[in-house]
Tab-separated table of all heavy atoms in Angstrom:
chain	number	residue	atom	x	y	z
B	410	GLY	N	65.926	20.715	40.474
B	410	GLY	CA	66.090	19.308	40.768
B	410	GLY	C	64.932	18.438	40.346
B	410	GLY	O	64.997	17.198	40.499
B	411	ARG	N	63.841	19.035	39.805
B	411	ARG	CA	62.687	18.238	39.368
B	411	ARG	C	62.950	17.692	37.980
B	411	ARG	O	63.810	18.164	37.244
B	411	ARG	CB	61.426	19.082	39.400
B	411	ARG	CG	60.144	18.270	39.554
B	411	ARG	CD	59.000	19.179	39.889
B	411	ARG	NE	58.754	20.148	38.808
B	411	ARG	CZ	57.824	21.097	38.907
B	411	ARG	NH1	57.096	21.224	40.012
B	411	ARG	NH2	57.649	21.935	37.908
B	412	ALA	N	62.235	16.685	37.574
B	412	ALA	CA	62.488	16.013	36.301
B	412	ALA	C	62.277	16.944	35.119
B	412	ALA	O	62.909	16.751	34.076
B	412	ALA	CB	61.580	14.790	36.169
B	413	ASP	N	61.408	17.960	35.260
B	413	ASP	CA	61.174	18.867	34.122
B	413	ASP	C	62.086	20.086	34.170
B	413	ASP	O	61.859	21.040	33.449
B	413	ASP	CB	59.707	19.286	34.103
B	413	ASP	CG	59.295	19.976	35.390
B	413	ASP	OD1	60.018	19.848	36.377
B	413	ASP	OD2	58.230	20.647	35.401
B	414	ASP	N	63.090	20.087	35.055
B	414	ASP	CA	64.045	21.204	35.149
B	414	ASP	C	65.218	20.892	34.207
B	414	ASP	O	66.044	20.036	34.498
B	414	ASP	CB	64.526	21.373	36.584
B	414	ASP	CG	65.486	22.564	36.734
B	414	ASP	OD1	65.478	23.401	35.798
B	414	ASP	OD2	66.190	22.625	37.745
B	415	PHE	N	65.204	21.605	33.057
B	415	PHE	CA	66.254	21.394	32.061
B	415	PHE	C	67.268	22.553	32.006
B	415	PHE	O	68.002	22.698	31.049
B	415	PHE	CB	65.618	21.213	30.678
B	415	PHE	CG	64.654	20.053	30.609
B	415	PHE	CD1	63.296	20.271	30.623
B	415	PHE	CD2	65.139	18.752	30.530
B	415	PHE	CE1	62.420	19.205	30.563
B	415	PHE	CE2	64.263	17.696	30.464
B	415	PHE	CZ	62.886	17.908	30.482
B	416	SER	N	67.284	23.413	33.050
B	416	SER	CA	68.218	24.545	33.059
B	416	SER	C	69.672	24.082	33.228
B	416	SER	O	69.923	23.064	33.908
B	416	SER	CB	67.828	25.521	34.167
B	416	SER	OG	67.900	24.863	35.434
B	417	TRP	N	70.596	24.864	32.656
B	417	TRP	CA	72.015	24.502	32.798
B	417	TRP	C	72.843	25.774	32.942
B	417	TRP	O	72.634	26.709	32.160
B	417	TRP	CB	72.491	23.741	31.568
B	417	TRP	CG	73.865	23.203	31.753
B	417	TRP	CD1	75.028	23.760	31.300
B	417	TRP	CD2	74.223	22.046	32.435
B	417	TRP	NE1	76.119	23.027	31.656
B	417	TRP	CE2	75.629	21.920	32.380
B	417	TRP	CE3	73.509	21.048	33.131
B	417	TRP	CZ2	76.332	20.879	32.974
B	417	TRP	CZ3	74.220	20.032	33.694
B	417	TRP	CH2	75.601	19.938	33.607
B	418	PRO	N	73.689	25.835	33.892
B	418	PRO	CA	73.963	24.829	34.952
B	418	PRO	C	72.764	24.678	35.885
B	418	PRO	O	71.927	25.571	35.965
B	418	PRO	CB	75.178	25.415	35.658
B	418	PRO	CG	75.106	26.872	35.425
B	418	PRO	CD	74.496	27.056	34.074
B	419	PRO	N	72.667	23.556	36.560
B	419	PRO	CA	71.513	23.328	37.452
B	419	PRO	C	71.441	24.390	38.519
B	419	PRO	O	72.428	24.880	39.027
B	419	PRO	CB	71.816	21.949	38.057
B	419	PRO	CG	72.762	21.309	37.116
B	419	PRO	CD	73.605	22.422	36.537
B	420	LYS	N	70.218	24.738	38.826
B	420	LYS	CA	69.971	25.743	39.844
B	420	LYS	C	70.170	25.129	41.216
B	420	LYS	O	69.927	23.944	41.422
B	420	LYS	CB	68.555	26.301	39.721
B	420	LYS	CG	68.286	27.009	38.395
B	420	LYS	CD	66.837	27.492	38.357
B	420	LYS	CE	66.545	28.201	37.032
B	420	LYS	NZ	65.132	28.670	36.973
B	421	ALA	N	70.625	25.987	42.125
B	421	ALA	CA	70.824	25.521	43.510
B	421	ALA	C	69.461	25.407	44.193
B	421	ALA	O	68.583	26.247	44.000
B	421	ALA	CB	71.723	26.499	44.263
B	422	GLU	N	69.277	24.371	44.969
B	422	GLU	CA	68.014	24.167	45.675
B	422	GLU	C	67.908	25.149	46.833
B	422	GLU	O	68.922	25.550	47.407
B	422	GLU	CB	67.926	22.751	46.210
B	422	GLU	CG	67.923	21.683	45.116
B	422	GLU	CD	67.780	20.307	45.703
B	422	GLU	OE1	67.596	20.234	46.943
B	422	GLU	OE2	67.816	19.317	44.948
B	423	PRO	N	66.746	25.553	47.203
B	423	PRO	CA	66.572	26.445	48.365
B	423	PRO	C	67.094	25.754	49.619
B	423	PRO	O	67.110	24.518	49.726
B	423	PRO	CB	65.057	26.666	48.420
B	423	PRO	CG	64.566	26.351	47.047
B	423	PRO	CD	65.482	25.290	46.524
B	424	PRO	N	67.515	26.546	50.610
B	424	PRO	CA	68.055	25.944	51.851
B	424	PRO	C	67.083	25.017	52.535
B	424	PRO	O	67.445	23.957	53.032
B	424	PRO	CB	68.387	27.160	52.704
B	424	PRO	CG	68.542	28.287	51.737
B	424	PRO	CD	67.626	28.002	50.592
B	425	ALA	N	65.879	25.374	52.585
B	425	ALA	CA	64.903	24.521	53.294
B	425	ALA	C	64.795	23.177	52.623
B	425	ALA	O	64.732	22.131	53.257
B	425	ALA	CB	63.545	25.219	53.337
B	426	THR	N	64.792	23.167	51.306
B	426	THR	CA	64.689	21.896	50.564
B	426	THR	C	65.913	21.055	50.786
B	426	THR	O	65.843	19.837	50.974
B	426	THR	CB	64.476	22.183	49.085
B	426	THR	OG1	63.373	23.066	48.912
B	426	THR	CG2	64.270	20.915	48.304
Side-chain angles (χ1 to χ4, degrees):
R411 205 167 62 183
D413 59 343
D414 182 16
F415 300 103
S416 61
W417 188 262
K420 297 179 181 179
E422 297 182 4
T426 306

